[in-house]
Amino acid sequence: MINTRRQILSGLSALSLSACATASSPAKMSLGASPEKGLNYLFPLGVASGDPVSDGFVLWTRLAPMPMAEDGGLSVPVNVTWQVAEDENFARVIKAGQSVANKQWAHSVHVEVQGLQPLRQYYYRFIANGQNSPTGRAKTAPMFGAPVDKLRFGIASCQHYEQGFFNAYNDMVAQDPDLIIHLGDYIYESSWGPQVRRQATTEAISLTDYRRLHAQYKTDPALQAAHAHAPWIFIWDDHEVVNDYADLNDENYMPLEQMRARRAAAYKAYYEHMPVRLRSRPHGEHMRLHDYFYYGNLMTMALTDGRQYRDDQACQTPEDGGAQMVSCPELNDPSRSMFGKAQERWLMPSFLRSGATWEVLAQPTLFSRLYQKDRDGNPASWSDGWDGYKPTRDMIIHTAEQRRPKNFISIGGDMHSWWQADLKTDYSNPDSQTVGTEFVTTSVTAHSYAYNRFTQMLPDNPHIHFFDDRKRGYSLVNVTPENWTFEMKEMTSVYDPKAGAQTRKKYVVESGNQGAIEA
């Protein structure tokens, strides 16, 4: 069995965490490859950075000369050198070390770099078998609580490989964000909808299936460029595993042991392809992703997990174990939770208490109530969204009411559409207190066909000020001590990889004033 170990190399103060070290000596490969990209190029999946803190960040790559092969084209362990420099020519390398990439973790490499200066940009690369990876750049965060005058970040969600090109990231990179946040559905486990290109599998179940999907997504040049441009932070939603899953329950009542194996495979492949820390390395079907992200005194963001720990959807039927339009007493059961009680105990003591100017809840979907009716005209709730977990939402809203943060913002994805709404203490009373502001970003490519249906609901939801699901894209956020500016960037097409973006809507939240103003 291969064991993971920490390696402190060359007397450097950086900590290199190999994705998987081995008891045997790594082999020098004879691939006949050159540093130029070719058939045996080791870095076709690019590089990435993530989870920036004031003295460092996580660096990632995966060696896979044949990304679609079951083993990525490698079977032997490989020594990988990593370097962090102050310049993109690597004339001033300030941190360096080695990791071992091997088969157990798909030859992925995770390096946790420490000892850097706060709020500073660096360049990084990997070297293996004489080949250089692409160069990436990453920026450290400011010191905790330090004065910060600005932050720019992009928000992405719901990128289905088949349904379009990831050209939203081209425009995002052109905006030069300090950070990119992905709010879930990074991959789609199944094939559906319009197809401009084919996924590696039509229904991912095994570890090989999920590895091939992640590898295929990473070959998209726009996505790869975005990962190389800035550090990322992540939450996930359902399609990283399977549609509408809740804990170990799926919509088709998959037997428990099969679901355990499927979730374990999905989580392992996710870890192998993301710039996340060793503490996120999965153990079977469990993987910790929830965390807090701090950006000086300007912003604190709670990164939550709305899938792994949640209670199963309410009011299920023998025919359908997933999301439905429902109305039943179970919806108001206070023992049910979107986050699970353990995650609630982690979240709530610190939530909205950091003292930052902007306190942000990053969660997967529309947080506000969406009053709607079933086919018979009776009030009903969508069981997979927050309306299906009202007690958890009530707890968060009540906490915002009691703790009175300077500014409370919720961001979400999942809906394949843009939304802007007020967060209310009582959604049945439009005059009730507004305790925060909500923004939901549209999908990068995943389609939606609900414009007329949702538009008809808006008169019954006066706290919702904007909705549109007709375009794909991303969101761009500029944060200062005075303003939170949210820009909805729509692509002119996702069928042309070179298509451009334009601004659909732009909103400003003024610090100290809950609610958004259209700019």
Side-chain angles (χ1 to χ4, degrees):
M1 183 61 69
I2 302 172
N3 298 314
T4 301
R5 68 174 183 263
R6 297 190 179 207
Q7 297 173 313
I8 302 177
L9 298 163
S10 305
L12 298 171
S13 61
L15 177 64
S16 171
L17 296 173
S18 67
C20 182
T22 178
S24 59
S25 299
K28 173 75 172 180
M29 297 180 304
S30 298
L31 294 175
S34 67
E36 291 77 28
K37 294 182 179 181
L39 179 64
N40 293 318
Y41 183 59
L42 291 173
F43 302 101
L45 305 185
V47 298
S49 66
D51 194 16
V53 292
S54 61
D55 75 335
F57 32 68
V58 179
L59 302 181
W60 170 91
T61 194
R62 180 190 167 202
L63 311 185
M66 300 172 63
M68 293 298 102
E70 183 174 355
D71 60 0
L74 291 175
S75 59
V76 296
V78 183
N79 275 327
V80 181
T81 298
W82 56 269
Q83 297 176 332
V84 176
E86 293 180 330
D87 67 303
E88 58 184 325
N89 295 320
F90 291 86
R92 298 187 300 279
V93 174
I94 58 171
K95 300 287 180 184
Q98 285 193 333
S99 289
V100 180
N102 62 31
K103 187 174 181 179
Q104 184 181 359
W105 296 97
H107 291 88
S108 62
V109 178
H110 296 76
V111 178
E112 295 188 13
V113 182
Q114 298 176 344
L116 303 178
Q117 295 299 308
L119 205 56
R120 187 172 298 183
Q121 184 170 284
Y122 295 92
Y123 298 87
Y124 65 90
R125 68 182 177 186
F126 298 89
I127 304 169
N129 199 46
Q131 300 180 27
N132 290 341
S133 75
T135 296
R137 66 177 203 171
K139 191 174 184 180
T140 52
M143 293 286 288
F144 179 79
V148 184
D149 60 1
K150 62 181 179 179
L151 167 66
R152 173 178 288 193
F153 63 92
I155 305 177
S157 173
C158 302
Q159 51 195 45
H160 198 299
Y161 184 84
E162 292 180 331
Q163 295 185 16
F165 296 101
F166 298 158
N167 51 18
Y169 290 111
N170 291 329
D171 192 74
M172 190 186 295
V173 168
Q175 305 301 325
D176 194 22
D178 302 301
L179 180 74
I180 296 172
I181 299 172
H182 202 285
L183 296 178
D185 295 343
Y186 186 95
I187 65 165
Y188 276 75
E189 86 291 356
S190 64
S191 175
W192 62 274
Q195 297 179 351
V196 299
R197 49 188 180 175
R198 298 287 189 182
Q199 286 201 163
T201 180
T202 56
E203 183 72 18
I205 295 176
S206 69
L207 177 59
T208 297
D209 292 339
Y210 286 105
R211 280 175 170 172
R212 291 181 70 201
L213 278 179
H214 276 282
Q216 184 181 42
Y217 278 53
K218 281 291 199 298
T219 62
D220 183 277
L223 177 59
Q224 201 170 112
H227 274 296
H229 185 82
W232 287 46
I233 57 178
F234 304 88
I235 63 173
W236 53 27
D237 196 20
D238 52 344
H239 291 288
E240 283 84 358
V241 180
V242 62
N243 185 53
D244 288 354
Y245 88 95
D247 192 7
L248 290 169
N249 307 286
D250 89 320
E251 63 182 342
N252 296 314
Y253 295 112
M254 177 176 279
L256 179 60
E257 289 309 309
Q258 292 182 32
M259 184 60 187
R260 286 185 190 276
R262 185 178 194 175
R263 201 175 88 171
Y267 284 7
K268 191 171 194 291
Y270 186 94
Y271 173 79
E272 291 168 346
H273 291 84
M274 296 296 181
V276 294
R277 294 184 181 274
L278 177 63
R279 67 188 180 207
S280 292
R281 193 179 69 175
H283 299 277
E285 72 271 21
H286 299 289
M287 177 177 169
R288 174 169 175 164
L289 201 62
H290 59 276
D291 204 354
Y292 274 100
F293 172 73
Y294 302 97
Y295 203 82
N297 70 347
L298 187 63
M299 185 183 78
T300 296
M301 183 176 292
L303 302 161
T304 60
D305 182 343
R307 286 291 166 185
Q308 182 174 186
Y309 312 107
R310 72 155 73 185
D311 287 286
D312 207 0
Q313 291 93 351
C315 322
Q316 291 179 339
T317 65
E319 298 77 27
D320 193 337
Q324 304 175 68
M325 288 297 297
V326 298
S327 179
C328 62
E330 190 180 352
L331 290 169
N332 295 313
D333 181 351
S335 69
R336 298 182 66 257
S337 174
M338 170 77 88
F339 292 149
K341 295 303 179 182
Q343 188 179 186
E344 286 182 8
R345 288 191 293 271
W346 161 82
L347 174 69
M348 298 314 295
S350 301
F351 186 59
L352 306 180
R353 278 181 166 165
S354 74
T357 301
W358 304 94
E359 302 246 21
V360 183
L361 174 67
Q363 48 76 44
T365 188
L366 178 69
F367 184 70
S368 300
R369 188 192 75 169
L370 181 61
Y371 178 84
Q372 52 188 313
K373 298 176 181 178
D374 62 20
R375 293 179 179 178
D376 297 325
N378 301 311
S381 298
W382 183 246
S383 63
D384 194 58
W386 278 100
D387 290 333
Y389 296 86
K390 184 176 179 292
T392 309
R393 181 174 62 202
D394 289 347
M395 175 188 67
I396 291 171
I397 292 295
H398 178 71
T399 300
E401 183 182 17
Q402 295 297 312
R403 293 182 181 171
R404 296 174 170 268
K406 296 176 183 177
N407 301 281
F408 174 33
I409 304 284
S410 174
I411 57 174
D414 174 61
M415 303 292 287
H416 305 181
S417 47
W418 279 296
W419 300 75
Q420 194 286 304
D422 294 336
L423 303 179
K424 308 290 286 187
T425 56
D426 182 359
Y427 286 104
S428 63
N429 177 10
D431 296 325
S432 67
Q433 182 182 354
T434 298
V435 296
T437 309
E438 173 165 34
F439 297 97
V440 176
T441 193
T442 195
S443 54
V444 172
T445 61
H447 280 52
S448 176
Y449 309 97
Y451 181 77
N452 290 334
R453 180 165 61 89
F454 281 133
T455 299
Q456 290 170 4
M457 298 177 193
L458 296 184
D460 293 326
N461 293 274
H463 59 284
I464 296 175
H465 303 298
F466 180 74
F467 154 79
D468 197 341
D469 74 338
R470 294 172 294 181
K471 289 288 188 176
R472 318 279 62 85
Y474 74 99
S475 296
L476 183 69
V477 181
N478 284 281
V479 189
T480 69
E482 295 77 31
N483 296 311
W484 169 286
T485 304
F486 189 95
E487 197 167 349
M488 301 172 179
K489 304 283 285 185
E490 67 178 27
M491 307 310 298
T492 57
S493 171
V494 292
Y495 304 129
D496 176 0
K498 296 182 180 180
Q502 58 192 19
T503 298
R504 177 67 180 89
K505 285 280 186 179
K506 189 175 183 179
Y507 288 95
V508 175
V509 181
E510 298 174 342
S511 182
N513 296 318
Q514 305 295 354
I517 303 168
E518 187 173 350

